Amino acid sequence: MFGSTRSFGTTTLRTLRALAGTAALALAGTVANAQYLMVPDWTADKIMLFSASDGSLVNLNFIIESPEYPMSSPRAAIQVNNEIWVCDQVEDVIHRFTLSLTPAYISSITTGLDNLRGMKFIDGVVYVCNFGTANGAPGQAIVKFAPDGTNLGSFPVAGSAFDVAGFQGDILVTTSDDDDIFRFTAGGALVGTFHNGNNTTGINFPQGIHTFPSGPGGALEVWVAGFSPPVGAFRLNAAGAILQRYAAPPSLPVAPRSVYLLGNGRLFFNDGTSLYTTDLTNLADTVTVVSGINSQFINPLDFPVEPECPACPADFDQDGGVTGADVEAFFLAFEAGDACGDTDQDGGVTGADVEAFFLAFEAGGCEP
């Protein structure tokens, strides 16, 4: 074994240990694609859970109402950092739950809201579609909330806002009155009409809206559920022009409320009675996933991916030997704030983890 002052290139053990005071310690879990999809059942007063990969049912009773958090018309369920928020249209409330496959109730937002529709968490802000003026609510508007539930104010929308999506740093809002999709800045300033809908050649009564990199070369496109005739799933380009309408019986037989692209390339969508998947290249290939429900907006749910950390911290690169390469691998993880840098297993990445790593490293490994 080497002595405690051995050198790796021009960096000494003392210098490496000093990095503990300056390394980045923030832990961040990122997921490229959704794992699950949450869909409220308006009539049964619950949230259902589906696979975002193929649309298959995971849990028909993911969140069910309770006297602690009554629901009579859940419209949307979204992920807000490490929480799940559910808005109820008639109850005029947003319920907050823990991020879990068995969510636990946290609290409810009960003021400043009336007659809610869709909502989204975009760049650190929750945008909620509001219609009424009861409970101190602003009427036809988008109400904004911080992730801790603080009301951040609102901005007016001309028409009845139904859903919202982030787009190129701005906000898109679907409305039922004029059948339009409006574009706002994140702060609420009107940019203009993104799509001018109608009941012949445009989208009539747009409801659920999402953006996906589904265009050529991964270009961002907008997908909207057209609820009134001509019904269908509408695919729009970045300029708001309709690229395609998917609506050939029996693929979209009834008015869709929300649409979502699955990991397998199929389209996941719903109407007032059922949830379906369809093959966008063969619309006759439509499968009913769940029937006998009154489903609403479809939104994704992700859980942080747990890293596969080395069983023996000294062999950090997991190549079967304890060498200088393990020191380099450890500090790459440590400086990135990777959870695997928590070698003393106290729940945080701190300078104590550097000491724990080198104790194991200088001992030549880990005890069997």
Side-chain angles (χ1 to χ4, degrees):
M1 290 299 300
F2 298 105
S4 61
T5 58
R6 61 185 175 275
S7 173
F8 305 99
T10 59
T11 308
T12 63
L13 173 59
R14 181 177 299 175
T15 304
L16 289 171
R17 283 176 170 163
L19 291 174
T22 58
L25 302 181
L27 297 178
T30 58
V31 181
N33 299 302
Q35 297 163 300
Y36 303 100
L37 296 174
M38 298 181 290
V39 187
D41 185 334
W42 169 284
T43 303
D45 303 328
K46 65 183 181 181
I47 309 300
M48 303 171 288
L49 193 67
F50 298 84
S51 166
S53 175
D54 60 10
S56 58
L57 177 65
V58 175
N59 188 344
L60 194 62
N61 300 300
F62 178 52
I63 299 176
I64 57 176
E65 74 163 341
S66 158
E68 191 176 18
Y69 48 90
M71 293 190 289
S72 61
S73 50
R75 267 286 191 173
I78 64 170
Q79 180 174 346
V80 180
N81 290 335
N82 290 321
E83 294 181 9
I84 296 169
W85 289 23
V86 177
C87 68
D88 193 288
Q89 182 171 6
V90 175
E91 296 292 332
D92 306 326
V93 66
I94 296 175
H95 299 304
R96 298 167 60 188
F97 301 86
T98 59
L99 180 65
S100 170
L101 286 176
T102 54
Y105 174 68
I106 299 173
S107 64
S108 297
I109 301 171
T110 59
T111 60
L113 299 169
D114 180 32
N115 197 343
L116 307 180
R117 282 73 180 272
M119 62 178 179
K120 293 285 197 324
F121 183 50
I122 304 166
D123 296 333
V125 176
V126 179
Y127 295 83
V128 185
C129 295
N130 184 90
F131 183 79
T133 57
N135 313 309
Q140 295 183 169
I142 300 296
V143 183
K144 301 186 296 180
F145 290 92
D148 65 359
T150 301
N151 190 313
L152 301 177
S154 64
F155 58 87
V157 176
S160 178
F162 258 78
D163 200 15
V164 58
F167 180 73
Q168 297 179 343
D170 288 338
I171 306 298
L172 299 180
V173 179
T174 60
T175 65
S176 63
D177 292 356
D178 298 322
D179 305 320
D180 290 335
I181 302 173
F182 293 111
R183 182 169 182 168
F184 297 86
T185 66
L190 179 63
V191 176
T193 301
F194 177 76
H195 175 80
N196 188 357
N198 55 67
N199 60 9
T200 54
T201 59
I203 304 175
N204 188 12
F205 196 164
Q207 289 208 20
I209 182 171
H210 286 284
T211 60
F212 298 104
S214 52
L220 194 64
E221 296 180 331
V222 179
W223 290 71
V224 185
F227 183 71
S228 297
V231 301
F234 290 83
R235 178 182 179 184
L236 283 63
N237 64 16
I242 296 175
L243 297 174
Q244 195 161 356
R245 168 177 166 254
Y246 299 94
S251 59
L252 298 177
V254 187
R257 289 179 173 145
S258 191
V259 297
Y260 201 93
L261 289 181
L262 297 170
N264 62 4
R266 292 175 69 90
L267 183 72
F268 191 57
F269 68 98
N270 57 356
D271 58 24
T273 64
S274 303
L275 275 156
Y276 314 86
T277 72
T278 193
D279 185 340
L280 292 172
T281 63
N282 177 19
L283 296 179
D285 179 9
T286 297
V287 178
T288 301
V289 180
V290 179
S291 60
I293 57 173
N294 188 354
S295 59
Q296 303 295 318
F297 294 129
I298 303 166
N299 286 301
L301 176 66
D302 286 321
F303 290 93
V305 176
E306 294 295 330
E308 295 183 7
C309 300
C312 174
D315 181 19
F316 205 86
D317 64 1
Q318 304 184 64
D319 69 349
V322 179
T323 66
D326 296 301
V327 177
E328 181 180 2
F330 168 75
F331 275 100
L332 284 174
F334 181 86
E335 292 174 353
D338 193 310
C340 290
D342 181 22
T343 51
D344 64 359
Q345 300 182 40
D346 68 350
V349 182
T350 68
D353 296 301
V354 179
E355 294 293 333
F357 169 77
F358 278 109
L359 283 174
F361 184 85
E362 291 175 354
C366 302
E367 300 214 354

